[in-house]
């Protein structure tokens, strides 16, 4: 017996020719929430990511195959790293019949940390992002992490009879790597250069240590961004990079900001 759908002719409208003669640089799907498997600190982590997937569409083609982007996502059957993502981008372009395209994935991941004095253990959350792009025959993969840290103002410490204003800061590091670089290594570039790093769970002895550590290690936003950049410069695995620091000021209703790029 013939299945009813076998007798149907379903038009493939998006594959038709377009006569407006305008190429589209990026067309695809945006903010698709889908599972992601990561390798972090030697173990696999399950997380959920927001994906943006797109390809370049030639002027003569009417549309792309939107459903194939989700099919590509559903076919990710192993933990991803930058090298695997580079290969998977090629597979996505083949599936979509495209020469150029882009993948962006934003997600949370976790590192287990022990407090500096008490040693109590807890999970610290960080924001990660990948951007993989194929353009003009070249594929580029950027790995990005946003790390919360503590900063204390040198000027406030210098002019005050006691205390100094301090705040939480966010250090965002985006790198193009020449060799494998683990998430926990990328995080440490930010944490070791801050007035103090942060933990999710602390005892009073830890709070005392962090307060005094920051007071002994004051940094302007300019100091922090430069120190992170110098650490990146010293690592031969890292090529181009962007470092951004946002100090979420405790005495102002605005942030202080700094950025260094290496092209």
């Amino acid at each position: 017996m013939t299945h009813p759908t076998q007798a149907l002719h379903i038009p493939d409208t998006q594959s038709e020719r377009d006569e407006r003669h305008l190429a589209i640089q990026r067309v695809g799907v945006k903010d698709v929430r889908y599972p992601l498997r990561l390798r972090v600190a030697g173990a696999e982590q399950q997380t959920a990511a927001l994906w943006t997937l797109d390809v370049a569409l030639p002027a003569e083609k009417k549309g792309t195959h939107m459903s194939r982007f989700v099919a590509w996502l559903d076919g990710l059957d192993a933990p991803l790293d930058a090298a695997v993502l580079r290969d998977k981008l090629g597979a996505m372009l083949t599936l979509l019949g495209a020469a150029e395209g882009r993948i962006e994935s934003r997600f949370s991941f976790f590192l287990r940390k022990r407090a500096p004095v008490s040693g109590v253990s807890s999970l610290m959350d960080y924001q990660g992002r990948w951007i993989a792009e194929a353009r003009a025959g070249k594929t580029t993969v950027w790995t990005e992490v946003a790390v919360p840290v503590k900063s204390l103002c040198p000027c406030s410490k210098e002019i005050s009879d006691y205390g100094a204003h301090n705040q939480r800061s966010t250090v965002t590091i985006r790198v193009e790597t020449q060799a494998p670089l683990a998430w926990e290594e990328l995080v440490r570039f930010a944490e070791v250069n801050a007035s103090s790093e942060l933990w999710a769970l602390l005892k009073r002895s830890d709070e005392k240590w962090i307060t005094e550590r920051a007071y002994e290690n004051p940094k302007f936003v300019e100091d922090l961004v430069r120190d992170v950049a110098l650490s990146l410069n010293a690592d031969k695995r890292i090529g181009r990079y962007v470092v951004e620091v946002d100090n979420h000021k405790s005495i102002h209703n605005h942030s202080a900001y700094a950025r260094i790029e290496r092209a």
Side-chain angles (χ1 to χ4, degrees):
M1 178 181 293
T2 301
H3 193 276
T5 59
Q6 293 177 334
L8 293 176
H9 172 68
I10 302 177
D12 187 9
T13 308
Q14 66 266 29
S15 294
E16 294 178 356
R17 183 174 179 84
D18 196 277
E19 301 299 337
R20 284 166 286 190
H21 309 295
L22 283 173
I24 300 176
Q25 283 72 44
R26 293 176 59 182
V27 57
V29 295
K30 186 175 182 180
D31 289 344
V32 181
R33 193 178 301 276
Y34 223 76
L36 171 63
R37 295 162 62 189
L38 293 172
R39 184 73 61 182
V40 180
E44 183 178 316
Q45 284 189 16
Q46 294 273 4
T47 186
L50 279 179
W51 297 83
T52 296
L53 310 171
D54 57 67
V55 294
L57 191 69
E60 69 274 8
K61 291 189 67 174
K62 186 174 185 63
T64 192
H65 297 273
M66 296 290 184
S67 63
R68 294 184 185 179
F69 291 111
V70 179
W72 175 86
L73 273 177
D74 202 60
L76 296 177
D77 56 359
L80 281 186
D81 58 26
V84 173
L85 187 63
R86 179 184 294 269
D87 293 337
K88 295 295 186 181
L89 173 58
M92 188 188 81
L93 296 181
T94 299
L95 184 63
L96 273 292
E100 298 182 343
R102 185 177 184 274
I103 296 169
E104 180 175 347
S105 180
R106 292 175 287 144
F107 47 88
S108 297
F109 67 94
F110 298 85
L111 291 173
R112 184 161 292 279
K113 299 179 64 176
R114 293 190 176 278
V117 179
S118 69
V120 294
S121 175
S122 61
L123 288 173
M124 186 74 182
D125 67 298
Y126 304 90
Q127 297 301 307
R129 179 160 72 145
W130 273 315
I131 300 172
E133 189 167 28
R135 296 284 179 219
K138 180 182 178 182
T139 299
T140 304
V141 179
W142 294 90
T143 302
E144 179 181 293
V145 65
V147 183
V149 296
K150 178 180 173 71
S151 62
L152 184 137
C153 178
C155 181
S156 176
K157 177 181 176 180
E158 183 67 25
I159 65 177
S160 301
D161 291 335
Y162 46 87
H165 83 78
N166 60 93
Q167 56 270 320
R168 187 185 303 170
S169 301
T170 302
V171 181
T172 303
I173 304 171
R174 183 187 300 180
V175 299
E176 183 183 17
T177 56
Q178 313 295 335
L181 184 66
W183 288 107
E184 57 271 24
E185 294 179 280
L186 199 53
V187 165
R188 292 305 289 167
F189 284 117
E191 291 183 334
V192 300
N193 286 297
S195 294
S196 177
E197 59 187 285
L198 305 182
W199 288 264
L201 178 60
L202 298 169
K203 299 297 185 180
R204 281 177 294 177
S205 58
D206 302 309
E207 293 185 32
K208 179 179 185 297
W209 186 94
I210 292 171
T211 301
E212 294 172 349
R213 160 68 178 168
Y215 192 78
E216 294 167 356
N217 191 32
K219 294 201 175 186
F220 290 121
V221 68
E222 298 94 335
D223 297 318
L224 182 48
V225 75
R226 284 174 170 146
D227 288 343
V228 173
L230 285 174
S231 295
L232 296 174
N233 289 346
D235 196 310
K236 297 185 184 302
R237 296 173 297 176
I238 294 172
R240 295 183 294 169
Y241 65 72
V242 177
V243 181
E244 296 180 305
V245 178
D246 286 276
N247 281 359
H248 312 294
K249 308 294 285 186
S250 61
I251 63 169
H252 302 295
N253 194 26
H254 60 261
S255 295
Y257 170 78
R259 175 183 173 115
I260 289 179
E261 301 181 43
R262 183 167 75 179

